[in-house]
Amino acid sequence: MTEPFELQEMTQPSPALPIVPAMSVSLGQGEARRLREIAARIAESQPAIISTRPFGTAVRSGLAAGLWLLIGDAREIALAARGESTTYEYRLSLLARDGDLVVFGREPLPEFTRYRAEQLGLGSIVSLNPRSGPRERLLPLAERCRLDREVFSRIVEKTRSAGGLTILPHIGMGSAWRLGAAVAAASGQEVLLASSPPGLTRRVNDKLWFARLVEEVVGEAALPKTHSAYGPAVLAHRLRALARSTDQVVVKVPDSAGGSGNICLESREIAERPLSEIRNRVLRLLRATSWRDAYPLLVGVWEAPVVSSPSVQLWIPREADGQPIIEGIFEQILEGREGSFVGSVPGEFSPSWRWRLA
């Protein structure tokens, strides 16, 4: 094969997390050098993207084997449900070990805690339940922990006793880092976050930013046609232009996830319609998703038929700790015209495709 990859021995992951490598494939030296150059250019042109300076010197990215605080919350992702949703809270809590702290928006179901401790043998957790009044429910869970005096004091006490803390958030945006900074200041201990810095976390969850990176790393052929639209007039113009050369087009809220904010349109319905009609129709559909006129939007081609939607599960450590570890290759289960994500199953690919995806 001519791909710039080579098989190597896998770096052993941190024993603190149940990371089980599925296969071994690493970048060749030349390809790794090229990617470091791309990373260096990004860091130089956008220094804030990797900065954690606003949170103080006692807070940084990392993972330690000591006490953990797990926060399964997606509220900071655009269009995420603002009400109480326990799905992510329960899911992430399965990483907790005996004695770890887990944040829930409300008291967890006794049946779940018994199942977790007795059936799965994961031990007992310390459940934290910050205030959940009408106002608090709109805030990220990490923010609620920081503002709830009783819960915050308990986290600080546990951190001080353990000699440090690692926060494992569902997504490491600003609220988790602010909580980490507050705990570090109050406890006098170092706080790690199992997350990239918040600026980088936001970028990689932005489909427009990530698309540009894919083009630079892999090439234009790796993407369907993808454009940005910074206003309603440009949005309508780009949609109609694409509709005249493909069967389906899509508008996406670029920093959402799981199919939320996807508007899929049949090209024949808009290819010859007036721009004003296209604009009004799409804006109406977007606002029905709770989108609030935030730009830019992604405009692209909705490819069909799709044979598979693969997903590679990775553990990405700090560079000094080794290369990314491939935990598995899956196929996403998508429902509806907009492709809403509802789960995944182990991928059934040929060995050559598994290798190429890895």
Side-chain angles (χ1 to χ4, degrees), residues 247-262:
D247 291 334
Q248 292 178 306
V249 292
V250 67
V251 179
K252 295 186 179 187
V253 176
D255 55 349
S256 189
S260 298
N262 286 1

Side-chain angles (χ1 to χ4, degrees), residues 85-341:
S85 174
T86 59
T87 304
Y88 295 116
E89 298 165 19
Y90 283 111
R91 187 177 75 174
L92 196 64
S93 76
L94 295 176
L95 289 177
R97 307 150 308 166
D98 191 43
D100 281 336
L101 313 176
V102 181
V103 181
F104 293 93
R106 60 184 68 179
E107 191 72 32
L109 293 171
E111 295 85 353
F112 173 78
T113 53
R114 281 199 301 271
Y115 167 74
R116 189 190 172 284
E118 298 172 9
Q119 299 298 317
L120 300 182
L122 297 175
S124 299
I125 57 174
V126 178
S127 172
L128 301 175
N129 313 114
R131 283 193 301 270
S132 58
R135 290 185 179 181
E136 286 87 358
R137 289 177 189 173
L138 300 177
L139 297 175
L141 280 176
E143 198 76 0
R144 288 161 59 180
C145 288
R146 188 173 66 86
L147 297 174
D148 186 310
R149 184 174 301 177
E150 181 179 343
V151 169
F152 182 75
S153 296
R154 198 172 182 190
I155 295 172
V156 170
E157 180 186 343
K158 292 281 188 181
T159 301
R160 192 179 288 127
S161 298
L165 177 71
T166 297
I167 299 176
L168 283 79
H170 171 74
I171 185 165
M173 293 189 180
S175 67
W177 284 86
R178 286 191 295 272
L179 174 62
V183 172
S187 68
Q189 302 295 326
E190 184 179 54
V191 175
L192 305 181
L193 274 96
S195 161
S196 53
L200 182 56
T201 302
R202 288 193 177 277
R203 295 299 196 285
V204 298
N205 194 51
D206 180 338
K207 296 175 181 65
L208 282 169
W209 187 89
F210 197 74
R212 292 192 292 271
L213 185 63
V214 169
E215 285 187 358
E216 188 170 10
V217 170
V218 189
E220 290 185 13
L223 285 173
K225 291 180 181 178
T226 301
H227 304 285
S228 58
Y230 283 83
V234 176
L235 172 65
H237 176 77
R238 291 198 183 281
L239 275 171
R240 192 171 70 175
L242 279 177
R244 289 172 175 173
S245 61
T246 188
D247 291 334
Q248 292 178 306
V249 292
V250 67
V251 179
K252 295 186 179 187
V253 176
D255 55 349
S256 189
S260 298
N262 286 1
I263 305 298
C264 183
L265 301 165
E266 295 290 339
S267 295
R268 65 176 181 272
E269 299 174 1
I270 63 172
E272 304 303 329
R273 306 306 301 172
L275 291 175
S276 60
E277 182 181 318
I278 298 171
R279 178 197 63 208
N280 293 339
R281 177 184 177 184
V282 174
L283 291 179
R284 184 175 66 253
L285 292 170
L286 282 168
R287 286 166 182 159
T289 70
S290 299
W291 174 77
R292 292 294 178 263
D293 295 74
Y295 292 94
L297 292 167
L298 184 151
V299 180
V301 171
W302 190 259
E303 294 187 321
V306 174
V307 176
S308 174
S309 180
S311 172
V312 181
Q313 181 76 19
L314 296 168
W315 168 252
I316 306 177
R318 294 181 301 172
E319 186 178 8
D321 294 334
Q323 294 199 29
I325 292 168
I326 298 161
E327 297 185 80
I329 299 178
F330 300 86
E331 289 189 71
Q332 298 181 98
I333 303 172
L334 307 177
E335 287 187 348
R337 189 177 181 185
E338 285 73 31
S340 298
F341 174 78

